[in-house]
Amino acid sequence: MAIRPEEITSIIKQKIAQFDAQVDISETGTVIQVGDGIARVHGLKNVKSSELVDFGNGVQGMALNLEYDNVGCVLMGPDHLVHEGDIVKRTGKVISIGVSSQMIGRVVNPLGKPLDGKGEITAEKTMPLDIVAPGIIDRQPVKQPLQTGIKAIDAMIPIGKGQRELIIGDRQTGKTAIAVDAIINQKNIPEKERCICIYVAVGQKQSTVAQVIKTLSDFGAMDYTVVVSATASDPASLLYIAPYAGCAIGEYFMWQGKDVLIVYDDLSKHAQAYREMSLLLRRPPGREAYPGDVFYLHSRLLERACKLSNENGGGSLTALPIIETQANDVSAYIPTNVISITDGQIYLESNLFLSGIKPAINVGLSVSRVGGSAQRKMMRKVAGTLRIDLSQYQELAGFAQFGSELDKESQRQIARGKRMTELLKQHQYTPLKVGEEVWVLYAGTHGYLDTVPVEQVQAYEKQLLAFLHAQHAKALEELQQANELTEELEQKMVQILEEFKTVFKEA
């Protein structure tokens, strides 16, 4: 029997009414354009900025551009699963991550999903990715040292808990190595003072991230570390949210009164991912094609690193952002932005690296704006003049190259400078305890190396540490625990160093 046209109209009206009852039209939209990880959606009148929207097929997106007649969304999954005409629904949730203490020792993506095949992680709390940083009243000054185990940094560019210290340099100059050593060194610190570490890999090769995870596992550092991985093969949207996800995980522990160390490796690729998304969303390009708010991108991330006041639990979040320069150009846009946001920088120079000085830290351009406040008193006493001595040595060494005759004092400064430069060299993955650092630096700054040939300095250090562990473990432990270098302690150090003179053998 043929259906009359009015019956068809009635059936259609019923279906539309059923659909309207199920779905609030103002809470849904339609895809009008999709491609390159970006979707434009018509509708979604009440959507908020940074809100998650559901595209179906397991793909979610984030609303970023709220325009007059459409919403620009970045997709968190493959864009081939999204088609023009698809229905898009609001979720009502601003982008956030489920966090829990189960994340320690795990590798997760920026959405909190595990990548290591060790089973699901049960979230204890949901943390928004983007929050306003704690205000001045909620903080306290940075004054607790964060030991990296790297002699040159702990002596001359001290980092405090709650500080933001930039690691900057060209490709392959050892930036990640410094950050990984700082994480490994937490093993040398008593559990009460140890930091929970978060390593955020942004835009790295999967093989590079796997190598870092293997290194951390080999040294037992994964026991207190979370790895957040958004590799080069992931969509730009995941690279964009990765540092914020790592920061949210860190804040979860910080608000429990714990100390957290977070490494962003690296923010140059983060800025590039944001530029890619912004240009595809048709945001106006500015300097070097970055959008106008790229400074805000990093400032709102790094401002969240702080030392909370005792009323708030006294936890801390220390940030080590990494920036990659090109041809040592620290005056480029992104490097200057991040330098001005952070509390100092560790500048690694490719010329120093290639000449065998590792870590390749340029003492003149590296600085910690927290300084001695974040140093143990004994370290400040032992290494107080080290920075200026090395700067004078570099100045004098420049004169000496011209073959000019130098007075005895200048020759002594050059000889001491050469030995201290050699002493500050350190192999990768060999962070030292603070007591060991103080012994070695004391020997250098108090002239015990002046009679040792330059090429024997590292052998001297190795033998001295072995001698201390074998013969004077108690004195070493005493120094490890001490905050100040008392006269009594110093006399003991002098006696032991004099005793070591008799047993040192040149390699």
Side-chain angles (χ1 to χ4, degrees), residues 177-196:
I178 282 180
V180 170
D181 276 355
I183 293 173
I184 292 170
N185 187 55
Q186 298 306 304
K187 198 88 179 162
N188 291 333
I189 291 167
E191 210 160 326
K192 278 185 191 171
E193 297 170 34
R194 187 180 294 168
C195 289
I196 290 168

Side-chain angles (χ1 to χ4, degrees), residues 37 52 60 62 74-78 95 108-113 115 129 200-203 228-246 269-270 273-274 277:
L52 278 178
Q60 287 191 312
M62 179 169 57
V74 289
L75 300 174
M76 300 289 178
I95 189 156
V108 297
N109 76 0
L111 297 169
K113 302 280 189 302
L115 299 173
L129 291 197
V200 183
V202 184
V228 180
S229 172
T231 54
S233 58
D234 287 320
S237 54
L238 287 184
L239 271 61
Y240 163 62
I241 65 167
Y244 298 104
K269 293 189 179 70
H270 182 232
Y274 185 62
M277 281 169 23

Side-chain angles (χ1 to χ4, degrees), residues 296-311:
Y296 179 58
L297 176 81
H298 289 150
S299 66
R300 73 181 195 258
L301 171 71
L302 293 169
E303 198 56 45
R304 288 158 71 176
C306 66
K307 171 73 175 164
L308 290 176
S309 63
N310 291 332
E311 293 77 24

Side-chain angles (χ1 to χ4, degrees), residues 215-251:
T215 301
L216 293 175
S217 300
D218 291 349
F219 285 92
M222 278 306 281
D223 298 346
Y224 49 83
T225 304
V226 184
V227 176
V228 180
S229 172
T231 54
S233 58
D234 287 320
S237 54
L238 287 184
L239 271 61
Y240 163 62
I241 65 167
Y244 298 104
C247 193
I249 296 167
E251 282 168 336

Side-chain angles (χ1 to χ4, degrees), residues 52 93-100 103 110-112 123-131 241 244-256 304 317:
L52 278 178
K93 298 175 195 163
V94 172
I95 189 156
S96 54
I97 184 171
V99 291
S100 86
M103 283 182 157
L111 297 169
E124 292 163 11
K125 192 177 180 185
T126 302
M127 302 279 289
L129 291 197
D130 211 350
I131 60 156
I241 65 167
Y244 298 104
C247 193
I249 296 167
E251 282 168 336
Y252 169 72
F253 294 110
M254 176 180 76
W255 284 102
Q256 292 175 13
R304 288 158 71 176
L317 180 68

